Amino acid sequence: MNAAMTNSESADIETAIRLLSDRSPSTVQASYAECSAIVARNLNGGSEFLLRLITAAIEADVHKITLIDDAVSFLDDTDLRQLAFLLQGQAERGADVEDLLTHAVLQAPDLFPDRTLADNPDFVDWLTHDDPRSPPASRHFIFEEGAPSDMSFPTHRSHPTWHLPAPGLSLMVGGEGTAVCPACGKRLVHLVTLEDLGNQEAAFPQLRLETCESSLEPTYYSHATGAPTPIAPFHSSGGIASQPAIKEHTVRLAPTPQRWLRQSWLASNSRQNLFRLGGLPSWVQGPQFPLVPGTDRQMKFLLQFDSLAGFFWVSGGMLYVFWDEESRITCHVPQYT
């Protein structure tokens, strides 16, 4: 933090800290809204301002709120490194900076020792990989209309993962499926059709993916022919009520930057874009890799969809799709709270 702050920036930080320090029930919503507006003015190109705001919030012990956690995502690499150093020092002195640490560790794990990673629940799974500090590549589904309209705050709509450069071919997600679920009789929902993705996407199978949105349990689909066919074991006859039809969205695939290869469902909490192809799952309830029916062969993670943009999995969780090349079967696993 070398550059001098302008008077207006210093005043904004003082105002934000004063507002966050006001815990009066009658003014807390208005104070939060005013703080959100201050942060929103500095999301683009305001990394140094945001780092100073986070630092001031820690010093005033008003940092344990979503708004300050969100600001970490908008720091540039230099300021994120400074924050990592600051947080480790604060933690060693006994300060409660756990939530901020979670965001910094996820975005820049190389700046932290293994013992810090091991304290993060998401890394319990990730550290079992052959090279936990080098996760597999992934792609983000980038919606052409920008962040979904069901996101309310500027720090959510403007999150970098909704706006990654995506020069590739366009795909359609959502819409009505072609098949019917034999367990509940409802028409399947179209997730995405993976085809003609170009040479860079050759590692992904060409599939049309449809799912039963009503299922509370894993469901299986055969892709021996062009259209997905539901196969046993089917989900139980119960399930969630029918949702309104999911409208189609145009998306493009964006290579996931190193900073966002590890995303936590809990830390994201509908702020970040968790619509991903490949890479590491963002588990809601922990690892749940299915087996190919009738075998002991574990299926490979293919993609995940969040409960946004019209999709809604059970109580607002995630849907994970797994793939087995040999059998040409997918398994769709919902997780929820």
Side-chain angles (χ1 to χ4, degrees), residues 136-142 171 173 192-195 197-198 200-207 209 251-256 260-261 263 273-282 300-306 318-319 321-323:
S138 69
R139 303 287 188 272
H140 272 79
F141 292 99
I142 303 301
L171 303 169
V173 301
V192 65
T193 300
L194 301 175
E195 59 181 5
L197 299 183
Q200 291 185 343
E201 317 300 338
F204 299 109
Q206 295 190 20
L207 299 171
L209 297 172
V251 299
R252 295 179 185 273
L253 287 175
T256 303
W260 302 110
L261 288 176
Q263 288 181 276
N273 179 3
L274 298 183
F275 290 83
R276 293 166 53 119
L277 175 66
L280 297 170
S282 305
K300 295 182 179 179
F301 174 67
L302 178 59
L303 60 80
Q304 63 183 30
F305 272 34
D306 201 356
M318 296 280 292
L319 182 75
V321 176
F322 299 84
W323 165 247

Side-chain angles (χ1 to χ4, degrees), residues 116-318:
T116 302
L117 304 189
D119 289 337
N120 186 304
D122 293 288
F123 279 88
V124 173
D125 169 42
W126 298 341
L127 288 173
T128 64
H129 292 232
D130 292 337
D131 188 357
R133 290 188 178 272
S134 298
S138 69
R139 303 287 188 272
H140 272 79
F141 292 99
I142 303 301
F143 292 76
E144 282 201 343
E145 67 265 32
S149 59
D150 42 2
M151 306 184 73
S152 53
F153 293 103
T155 50
H156 300 190
R157 296 191 301 270
S158 301
H159 194 276
T161 52
W162 293 110
H163 306 282
L164 299 173
L169 298 173
S170 62
L171 303 169
M172 300 304 297
V173 301
E176 194 172 68
T178 58
V180 172
C181 175
C184 63
K186 298 173 184 175
R187 185 166 292 277
L188 301 184
V189 170
H190 174 246
L191 293 176
V192 65
T193 300
L194 301 175
E195 59 181 5
D196 299 327
L197 299 183
N199 293 334
Q200 291 185 343
E201 317 300 338
F204 299 109
Q206 295 190 20
L207 299 171
R208 178 180 175 87
L209 297 172
E210 300 179 3
T211 196
C212 180
E213 194 183 20
S214 299
S215 175
L216 302 173
E217 307 150 23
T219 51
Y220 293 82
Y221 303 85
S222 170
H223 298 266
T225 60
T229 303
I231 60 173
F234 302 118
H235 70 81
S236 60
S237 57
I240 61 173
S242 296
Q243 302 292 325
I246 298 172
K247 74 172 186 177
E248 290 187 326
H249 298 270
T250 302
V251 299
R252 295 179 185 273
L253 287 175
T256 303
Q258 181 72 25
R259 183 165 177 173
W260 302 110
L261 288 176
R262 305 166 187 81
Q263 288 181 276
S264 164
W265 177 83
L266 183 61
S268 169
N269 196 19
S270 298
R271 305 175 187 97
Q272 303 175 18
N273 179 3
L274 298 183
F275 290 83
R276 293 166 53 119
L277 175 66
L280 297 170
S282 305
W283 299 112
V284 177
Q285 296 288 0
Q288 187 181 352
F289 289 91
L291 302 178
V292 177
T295 77
D296 59 359
R297 189 167 67 248
Q298 183 172 284
M299 305 181 78
K300 295 182 179 179
F301 174 67
L302 178 59
L303 60 80
Q304 63 183 30
F305 272 34
D306 201 356
S307 287
L308 286 168
F311 296 98
F312 194 79
W313 312 114
V314 190
S315 60
M318 296 280 292

